[in-house]
């Protein structure tokens, strides 16, 4: 699994944390459709507070929708197969160029490699969206990524439960527009000016190595 960490106040990224937060907030506000449509556009959500199963497994379609919403002028960038080692460093250079230009990047890989440590999805592929690149004081580089999977980590699960108060799939469909926006922003943006919620994390990608192959079993 790609090593992951949460954003902290000292992190400097391109685009900046504030620019990314503003883009996400504006895109969530501009998302059309019912409250349920808005929720499932941005979040891969469970049907109940026990995370017995997820409402869908459409991570690929969701990443394309979210990526387009976050890159309305430049368009979502979809790199070539990251599991093929040929010119892998060039692929990551192109990804870095794309995020620096304000383009969201579609990142597809094995679930166990790009997903979260507590994800309900344990086989096959998963798709996340990269939004920025940064560097630690030590020189170690990372990408800032959005993973819509609410089950992904212990932190994302803990945040989700009080937001919906254990409500089921049917009740998710009855949320009003304002509540759906509050839930999405809480999960993605969090409540700190200089950080994010649990769905946006730092990914320390080894850009000189190809992703593992996706298992189709």
């Amino acid at each position: 699994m790609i090593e992951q960490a949460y954003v902290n106040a000292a992190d400097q990224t391109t685009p900046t944390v504030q620019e990314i937060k503003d883009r996400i907030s504006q895109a969530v506000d501009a998302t059309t459709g019912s409250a349920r449509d808005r929720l499932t556009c941005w979040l891969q959500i469970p049907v109940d507070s026990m995370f017995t199963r997820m409402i869908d497994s459409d991570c690929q379609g969701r990443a394309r929708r979210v990526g387009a919403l976050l890159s309305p002028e430049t368009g979502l960038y979809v790199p070539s197969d990251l599991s093929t080692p040929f010119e892998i460093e060039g692929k990551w250079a192109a990804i870095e160029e794309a995020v620096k230009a304000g383009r969201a990047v579609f990142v597809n890989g094995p679930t166990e490699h790009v997903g979260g440590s507590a994800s309900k999805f344990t086989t096959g592929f998963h798709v996340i969206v990269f939004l920025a690149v940064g560097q630690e004081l030590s020189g170690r580089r990372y990408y800032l990524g959005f993973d819509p999977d609410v089950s992904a980590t212990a932190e994302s699960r803990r945040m989700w439960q009080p937001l919906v108060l254990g409500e089921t799939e049917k009740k998710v469909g009855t949320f009003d527009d304002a509540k759906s926006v509050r839930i999405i922003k809480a999960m993605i943006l969090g409540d700190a000016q200089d950080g994010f919620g649990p769905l946006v994390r730092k990914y320390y990608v080894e850009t000189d190595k190809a992703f593992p192959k996706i298992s189709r079993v």
Side-chain angles (χ1 to χ4, degrees):
M1 177 180 291
I2 300 173
E3 183 183 344
Q4 300 170 28
Y6 289 105
V7 177
N8 62 60
D11 288 331
Q12 302 291 320
T13 63
T14 306
T16 67
V17 167
Q18 190 56 56
E19 287 170 336
I20 295 297
K21 288 175 74 75
D22 289 345
R23 275 168 58 191
I24 292 171
S25 182
Q26 292 163 12
V28 172
D29 288 340
T31 305
T32 59
S34 67
R36 180 191 173 94
D37 290 341
R38 187 180 294 107
L39 279 164
T40 55
C41 173
W42 285 92
L43 306 177
Q44 195 161 23
I45 60 179
V47 300
D48 57 42
S49 61
M50 298 302 293
F51 292 86
T52 54
R53 63 184 177 89
M54 304 300 281
I55 203 165
D56 64 52
S57 57
D58 188 25
C59 61
Q60 190 170 37
R62 182 174 291 104
R64 290 188 182 278
R65 292 191 298 272
V66 166
L69 288 167
L70 292 173
S71 309
E73 297 178 1
T74 54
L76 174 69
Y77 179 71
V78 182
S80 56
D81 186 358
L82 295 172
S83 68
T84 301
F86 180 67
E87 295 187 345
I88 189 64
E89 292 181 81
K91 293 175 187 178
W92 282 104
I95 288 172
E96 179 168 335
E97 182 179 352
V99 295
K100 284 182 174 179
R103 298 181 73 180
V105 176
F106 182 96
V107 178
N108 181 26
T111 298
E112 65 274 16
H113 189 62
V114 303
S117 57
S119 177
K120 284 290 290 185
F121 302 98
T122 57
T123 60
F125 70 90
H126 187 53
V127 184
I128 58 178
V129 178
F130 278 1
L131 300 169
V133 63
Q135 184 170 304
E136 306 287 10
L137 293 176
S138 65
R140 193 179 186 199
R141 295 170 67 76
Y142 60 85
Y143 285 89
L144 200 62
F146 166 48
D147 178 4
D149 176 12
V150 170
S151 77
T153 65
E155 291 84 355
S156 61
R157 290 176 179 231
R158 280 197 298 269
M159 179 169 278
W160 175 258
Q161 290 170 328
L163 287 174
V164 298
L165 300 177
E167 293 178 89
T168 64
E169 181 177 351
K170 285 185 179 180
K171 290 189 177 180
V172 167
T174 69
F175 290 164
D176 62 29
D177 289 346
K179 183 169 184 177
S180 71
V181 169
R182 286 197 302 272
I183 290 172
I184 294 165
K185 288 186 176 181
M187 294 300 301
I188 303 174
L189 300 177
D191 55 11
Q193 187 68 22
D194 49 10
F196 287 94
L199 300 184
V200 178
R201 302 187 289 276
K202 297 191 289 187
Y203 292 77
Y204 297 91
V205 180
E206 296 182 81
T207 56
D208 59 341
K209 297 178 181 177
F211 278 7
K213 292 290 185 182
I214 295 169
S215 172
R216 301 295 180 181
V217 177

